[in-house]
Amino acid sequence: MAYNVQDIRAQFPILNQKIHGHPLVYLDNAATSQKPLVVINAISDYYLNYNANVHRGVHTLSQRATDGMESVREQVRAHINAKEAAEIIFTRGITDSINTIAFGLSSIVSKGQNVVITEMEHHSNIVPWQMLCERTGAELRYFPVNAHGELVVDQIDTIIDKDTAVVSFNHISNALGTINPVQLLLKKAQSVGAWTLVDGAQSGPHAMVDVQEWDVDFFTLSSHKMYGPTGLGILYGKRERLEALPPYQGGGEMIATVTMKESSYAGIPHKFEAGTPHIEGIIGFGAALTFVNELGIENIAAHESELLAYAVEQCSSIEGFRIIGDSLNKASVLSFVVDGTHSYDLGVLLDQQGVAIRTGQHCTQPIMDAFCVSGTARASFALYNTKEEIDLFKAALVKAVNMLK
Ligand code: 7TS
């Protein structure tokens, strides 16, 4: 199927509006993507026709809702090639997924061991590990980043050693766009028997991942960055790893038996899904996955790479324009500063011209510090963006810079 961006845009009515009198140019996709009609319709179909709680009722609506939710679990399994659907846990988001694992490892990681992350992690892949290290006395280590925004892996044999308990890092950086050498890091981590986690927040919408090929222990995705609803994350875990961890939260539906004295827990995935799940979100995410897969993630990635190359070419002529993170291997994130301006001011002036970008630290303060910037302006491209929008973005940026200098 030919990639027809105008047909695709017709699926996203939100894009067809004016902001401050200008056509909306939405370039904040790394924060959250817009939702196509098929997702919105799937959610409204759920509420119009089969809203009920899941795994609880014998009645027909509850059965339909349960079947709908469980069919998405199977869809996600197939999407990332997990061995079984029980290895797919529905969480509240990437943050919730990582906290679930970091909490669960509290009684497994101990003093004398270390936890390895990277300098380009989102705070949600830093703070839970710092908290784990505080609880256990383990040491937190990280891979530094070079001037191109790539991981420096020369010291891999000293950073990951026989005492490494956990290695956790992102597949693609939200602040820089860098695509990390996942298999290199995983192989080393596996050679010392460490637990491994890959944060796929930014790769979900751009790259196909096969968790069995990677042989990773945990992999997490965000629905809302993949054209699905907010408030939903996917946590994949290998059966034996998930079974070895205690549940993160206690409550309904995660138990086998409860007496006034004690409780025993259900098997996976339910052990990690206490309480009523985000049923509408899961149903909507199923529709989002179908949408993305019908377009083809490779086709989407090729379209976005073209947009990134075009944006870089267009913006390079702006005086003082500096890209933060110019690895050759990167996804469609353009993080930049313009010397003599503040990213926040650029963001406000772009918004006044209809262009939505993100500014600031992107919840990645350590990598901002490493680049000695207080923050960046970030344009991130999605499957519905066009070269015409990049022309509007560039024109708006030039105008903003001229106003500020
Ligand atoms: N990890 C990465 C790599 C991310 O990009 C994000 C969100 C998260 C984790 C956290 O996801 P959450 O859904 O649990 O909040 N990143 C961004 C961003 O770049 N701008 O806003 C949110």
Side-chain angles (χ1 to χ4, degrees), residues 113-332:
Q113 292 192 302
N114 60 74
V115 173
V116 177
I117 58 173
T118 84
E119 202 177 12
M120 64 165 92
E121 297 309 318
H122 186 277
H123 294 165
S124 63
N125 201 22
I126 300 176
V127 185
W129 302 115
Q130 290 173 335
M131 291 161 75
L132 173 70
C133 288
E134 257 174 50
R135 287 194 297 274
T136 60
E139 176 198 354
L140 189 69
R141 297 180 176 176
Y142 63 89
F143 283 96
V145 165
N146 69 17
H148 296 292
E150 296 156 337
L151 291 181
V152 179
V153 290
D154 315 2
Q155 306 292 316
I156 190 165
D157 293 328
T158 12
I159 295 176
I160 299 178
D161 65 14
K162 64 177 184 23
D163 296 321
T164 301
V166 185
V167 178
S168 181
F169 55 94
N170 64 60
H171 183 186
I172 298 180
S173 156
N174 66 314
L176 310 170
T178 312
I179 302 174
N180 285 317
V182 175
Q183 271 157 312
L184 175 84
L185 299 184
L186 285 179
K187 285 217 162 67
K188 178 68 197 169
Q190 284 149 1
S191 76
V192 300
W195 296 64
T196 53
L197 185 152
V198 173
D199 168 358
Q202 296 297 334
S203 60
H206 310 286
M208 285 307 280
V209 165
D210 180 329
V211 290
Q212 290 192 74
E213 190 187 320
W214 278 0
D215 199 22
V216 66
D217 292 327
F218 304 110
F219 177 64
T220 178
L221 288 172
S222 163
S223 157
H224 73 90
K225 295 191 202 289
M226 296 178 72
Y227 309 99
T230 51
L232 177 71
I234 302 299
L235 171 61
Y236 158 79
K238 272 187 202 161
R239 174 178 275 279
E240 61 274 20
R241 291 300 212 189
L242 287 172
E243 284 178 344
L245 293 181
Y248 180 43
Q249 292 190 319
E253 293 302 309
M254 53 73 71
I255 46 81
T257 59
V258 178
T259 67
M260 289 314 290
K261 198 162 156 243
E262 60 189 4
S263 303
S264 62
Y265 308 130
I268 62 165
H270 306 294
K271 181 171 96 170
F272 293 100
E273 292 181 352
T276 300
H278 186 11
I279 308 166
E280 61 159 80
I282 295 167
I283 303 284
F285 184 55
L289 265 189
T290 304
F291 176 81
V292 163
N293 285 327
E294 276 174 9
L295 282 176
I297 288 207
E298 294 80 6
N299 299 331
I300 295 169
H303 174 73
E304 292 167 349
S305 293
E306 220 179 294
L307 293 178
L308 177 68
Y310 184 67
V312 170
E313 182 194 308
Q314 289 303 306
C315 294
S316 309
S317 59
I318 299 173
E319 205 188 315
F321 179 87
R322 273 194 297 131
I323 296 174
I324 303 296
D326 61 351
S327 170
L328 290 177
N329 196 15
K330 68 179 276 185
S332 56

Side-chain angles (χ1 to χ4, degrees), residues 356-375:
I357 60 163
R358 184 164 174 192
T359 64
Q361 296 183 331
H362 318 295
C363 299
T364 56
Q365 192 181 340
I367 196 63
M368 296 293 123
D369 292 346
F371 274 92
C372 300
V373 291
S374 60

Side-chain angles (χ1 to χ4, degrees), residues 10-22:
Q11 296 285 318
F12 293 85
I14 196 171
L15 297 174
N16 188 20
Q17 64 174 297
K18 292 203 163 165
I19 301 286
H20 302 302
H22 299 271

